[in-house]
Amino acid sequence: MIYLGADHNGFKTKEYLKKYFDNKNIDYIDLGNTKFQKTDDYPDFAKAVAKKVQKSKKATGILLCGSGQGMCIVANKFKNIRAILGWSSAAARRARHDDDANILCLPAWRLTNEKTLQVVRAWLATDFGNLTRYKRRIKKINP
């Protein structure tokens, strides 16, 4: 399952992603904001997504805000969450493969809709490399 969350800066991009997921029959749950609200706060959505992803090793999350940084900061406060800033397809693939990133944070101010889709597709299509050194490093994150 993919859990989605976005503040006002990422709202339009999240809605665009939902249409893409609907067209591709990709399962997701939108944890908000469900309507554009200029005064909303990104930590609320980052927390909601991180808590859901925490509950299942198979769950992933996608968070959107203006820079993507705020969402990453909040999500990474949760145990077993490895949130990354996906500014490019290569960065998203590498974080998924090497670090088993389970939340993708996207900078809505910097990415076009097409670039967002490229990053998301790359991240979703990449599996964890499962090498001993990768598992060892991940284990050191949450001792």
Side-chain angles (χ1 to χ4, degrees):
M1 178 60 62
I2 303 169
Y3 294 97
L4 302 177
D7 70 356
H8 56 281
N9 287 308
F11 182 80
K12 286 182 183 176
T13 306
K14 177 179 62 79
E15 294 302 302
Y16 180 81
L17 278 177
K18 285 169 49 176
K19 288 178 187 172
Y20 171 78
F21 290 159
D22 288 341
N23 287 336
K24 297 293 183 181
N25 294 316
I26 297 172
D27 291 331
Y28 67 88
I29 294 176
D30 184 354
L31 296 177
N33 203 343
T34 55
K35 63 180 182 176
F36 181 82
Q37 190 175 9
K38 184 124 177 98
T39 58
D40 61 15
D41 296 318
Y42 67 86
D44 299 331
F45 311 109
K47 287 177 183 180
V49 169
K51 286 177 181 179
K52 289 290 190 179
V53 173
Q54 239 183 353
K55 292 180 181 179
S56 171
K57 288 187 178 188
K58 293 184 179 185
T60 58
I62 298 175
L63 293 167
L64 301 101
C65 66
S67 69
Q69 299 287 17
M71 293 290 198
C72 273
I73 290 167
V74 175
N76 279 316
K77 300 263 183 214
F78 290 80
K79 186 174 182 170
N80 296 321
I81 295 299
R82 292 169 304 283
I84 60 100
L85 182 63
W87 72 89
S88 72
S89 297
R93 267 192 300 276
R94 202 39 128 179
R96 189 86 157 132
H97 183 269
D98 295 4
D99 304 313
D100 199 19
N102 52 11
I103 295 181
L104 174 65
C105 300
L106 296 167
W109 290 336
R110 302 290 299 166
L111 300 178
T112 64
N113 285 341
E114 184 53 41
K115 184 68 172 176
T116 297
L117 280 182
Q118 289 173 8
V119 173
V120 168
R121 284 192 299 250
W123 188 70
L124 291 175
T126 305
D127 292 323
F128 177 49
N130 212 30
L131 297 177
T132 301
R133 69 179 183 267
Y134 298 155
K135 290 189 269 187
R136 180 183 70 241
R137 292 168 186 160
I138 291 168
K139 193 173 183 178
K140 290 181 178 183
I141 296 171
N142 291 315

